[in-house]
């Protein structure tokens, strides 16, 4: 069949779900590039990231949202507002429910909230690689009984199983529309925000439980410089924590941990920018920044 007879579809989709339901990993698997930071800690995503998937007959713009949660701080409230704002503007919503955990009150709460939207709602059962076929079947039945979804798609972002099927399903529910972004664009997220997120991901890796919410990163400056080995990007970044004890954890004994964070982040940033990178990292204490409107504004929330 001639492709011209198939209408071109373009539009916005977002994954929602409680924290740690696999939304960011799924976004990265679909776009095929690291546009959302991933971590095994809940509430890692703080920015709404747009990834753009180009196909012959469609353009799927994926928005990654923070997990909806009970807010304990002003930051938490702002993140929840951001989620609801995003939901109201998309064409398709994918509700992510992990295959390896029973459906909980959080899943039901989000399901009720999105039932009011004009968007089509697709249930996405994530992390299917972690369960047996029998467990998966039980979970799919439970999801089916939970609400009236347009479709239910089981996937594994880790093995890639059913990812293409999910993209087909999401694209099918987009409106007929001309292309919305140029062919070579995979995200419209500002470069500095993506760099900051990669530094934050590296800083989150392997730290104790009290730290994930307390770390924020601000990129102070990005300079182009010439060296004997050729051009490189010089990036000045500040890692913010809320207490001196947290600063000590991030820096590590004799600066050992901060060096590891710097090395890990630099490699990812170099891949993102396709350039050599020099990363200048400093750790600062901003007392209770998650509750302080002035700090939240400075840090981009």
């Amino acid at each position: 069949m001639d492709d011209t007879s198939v209408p071109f579809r373009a539009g916005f989709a977002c994954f929602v779900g409680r924290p740690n339901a696999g939304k960011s990993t799924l976004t990265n698997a679909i776009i095929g590039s690291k546009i959302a930071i991933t971590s095994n800690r809940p509430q890692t995503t703080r920015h709404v990231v747009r990834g753009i998937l180009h196909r012959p007959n469609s353009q799927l713009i994926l928005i990654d949202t923070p997990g909806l949660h009970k807010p304990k701080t002003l930051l938490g409230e702002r993140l929840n507002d951001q989620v609801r704002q995003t939901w109201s503007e998309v064409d398709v919503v994918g509700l992510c429910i992990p295959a390896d955990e029973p459906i909980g009150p959080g899943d039901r709460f989000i399901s009720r909230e999105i039932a009011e939207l004009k968007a089509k709602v697709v249930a996405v059962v994530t992390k299917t690689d972690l369960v047996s076929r029998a467990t998966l079947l039980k979970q799919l039945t439970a999801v089916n009984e939970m609400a009236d979804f347009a479709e239910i798609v089981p996937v594994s972002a880790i093995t890639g199983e059913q990812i293409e099927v999910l993209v087909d399903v999401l694209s099918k529910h987009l409106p007929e529309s001309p292309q919305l972004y140029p062919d070579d664009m995979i995200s419209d997220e500002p470069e500095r925000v993506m760099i900051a997120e990669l530094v934050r991901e590296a800083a989150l890796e392997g730290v104790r439980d009290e730290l994930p919410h307390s770390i924020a990163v601000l990129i102070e400056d990005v300079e182009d410089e010439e060296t004997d080995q050729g051009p490189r990007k010089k990036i000045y970044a500040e890692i913010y924590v809320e207490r001196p004890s947290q600063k000590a954890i991030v820096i590590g004994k004799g600066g050992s941990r901060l060096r590891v964070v710097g090395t890990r982040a630099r490699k990812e940033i170099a891949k993102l920018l396709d350039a050599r990178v020099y990363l200048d990292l400093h750790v600062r204490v901003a007392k209770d920044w998650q509750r302080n409107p002035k700090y939240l504004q400075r840090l981009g929330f």
Side-chain angles (χ1 to χ4, degrees), residues 142 169 198 288-289:
V169 166
L198 290 172
D288 287 339
W289 67 262

Side-chain angles (χ1 to χ4, degrees), residues 3-300:
D3 260 3
T4 53
S5 62
V6 179
F8 193 87
R9 294 181 182 277
F12 295 83
C14 76
F15 292 125
V16 303
R18 54 190 158 89
N20 228 11
K23 300 180 293 293
S24 297
T25 312
L26 189 55
T27 300
N28 289 337
I30 288 175
I31 303 298
S33 173
K34 195 164 190 172
I35 58 156
I37 77 164
T38 54
S39 154
N40 57 3
R41 308 199 168 282
Q43 271 314 100
T44 311
T45 304
R46 286 202 190 132
H47 290 276
V48 175
V49 178
R50 288 185 175 85
I52 303 157
L53 184 70
H54 307 270
R55 298 172 103 205
N57 294 314
S58 65
Q59 190 175 66
L60 177 66
I61 298 120
L62 266 186
I63 303 177
D64 186 36
T65 57
L68 199 70
H69 63 296
K70 272 207 180 88
K72 298 187 180 77
T73 62
L74 181 59
L75 172 65
E77 285 170 24
R78 289 193 178 173
L79 291 178
N80 277 355
D81 290 345
Q82 201 181 43
V83 175
R84 291 193 172 96
Q85 175 71 26
T86 303
W87 290 359
S88 67
E89 294 169 351
V90 298
D91 304 294
V92 191
V93 175
L95 172 60
C96 293
I97 300 168
D100 63 334
E101 295 170 38
I103 291 171
D107 300 310
R108 291 195 173 87
F109 169 69
I110 295 169
S111 176
R112 282 195 300 274
E113 286 236 341
I114 56 182
E116 307 298 312
L117 299 173
K118 67 177 196 311
K120 288 274 189 224
V121 179
V122 173
V124 186
V125 177
T126 60
K127 308 186 184 186
T128 58
D129 54 296
L130 299 180
V131 298
S132 67
R133 293 209 75 76
T135 304
L136 177 57
L137 207 59
K138 223 161 83 179
Q139 186 73 324
L140 290 172
T141 306
V143 170
N144 189 41
E145 288 165 1
M146 179 178 153
D148 187 17
F149 296 111
E151 303 195 38
I152 301 172
V153 186
V155 300
S156 166
I158 300 302
T159 66
E161 191 176 5
Q162 292 262 109
I163 292 291
E164 279 299 310
V165 173
L166 177 60
V167 172
D168 286 340
V169 166
L170 296 174
S171 302
K172 181 174 81 181
H173 292 297
L174 297 177
E176 289 184 25
S177 160
Q179 196 167 320
L180 300 172
Y181 287 93
D183 282 338
D184 57 351
M185 215 168 163
I186 62 157
S187 178
D188 71 350
E189 190 71 6
E191 199 171 75
R192 284 190 182 204
V193 172
M194 293 174 82
I195 294 169
E197 288 288 271
L198 290 172
V199 173
R200 194 164 71 90
E201 180 179 40
L204 278 172
E205 192 74 31
V207 291
R208 281 187 244 152
D209 288 342
E210 70 267 25
L211 271 184
H213 305 299
S214 305
I215 291 179
V217 177
L218 187 65
I219 304 301
E220 288 288 356
D221 202 11
V222 180
E223 295 173 358
D224 290 304
E225 64 172 9
E226 283 299 330
T227 69
D228 294 342
Q229 286 85 40
R232 72 175 178 186
K233 298 270 187 193
K234 192 169 189 179
I235 297 167
Y236 297 89
E238 299 199 329
I239 297 174
Y240 283 86
V241 292
E242 295 190 296
R243 296 191 293 282
S245 60
Q246 295 172 338
K247 181 176 177 176
I249 292 171
V250 174
I251 292 173
K253 197 175 177 184
S256 58
R257 208 172 164 276
L258 193 60
R259 281 194 293 277
V260 171
V261 169
T263 304
R264 190 178 282 143
R266 197 182 68 246
K267 280 183 187 157
E268 292 293 341
I269 295 165
K271 268 194 269 182
L272 174 75
L273 303 180
D274 196 19
R276 287 173 59 245
V277 168
Y278 173 83
L279 184 59
D280 186 276
L281 277 185
H282 291 275
V283 184
R284 310 242 183 263
V285 177
K287 192 173 178 324
D288 287 339
W289 67 262
Q290 295 184 69
R291 294 174 168 80
N292 184 319
K294 198 179 78 195
Y295 277 130
L296 285 176
Q297 190 174 3
R298 178 165 162 71
L299 293 165

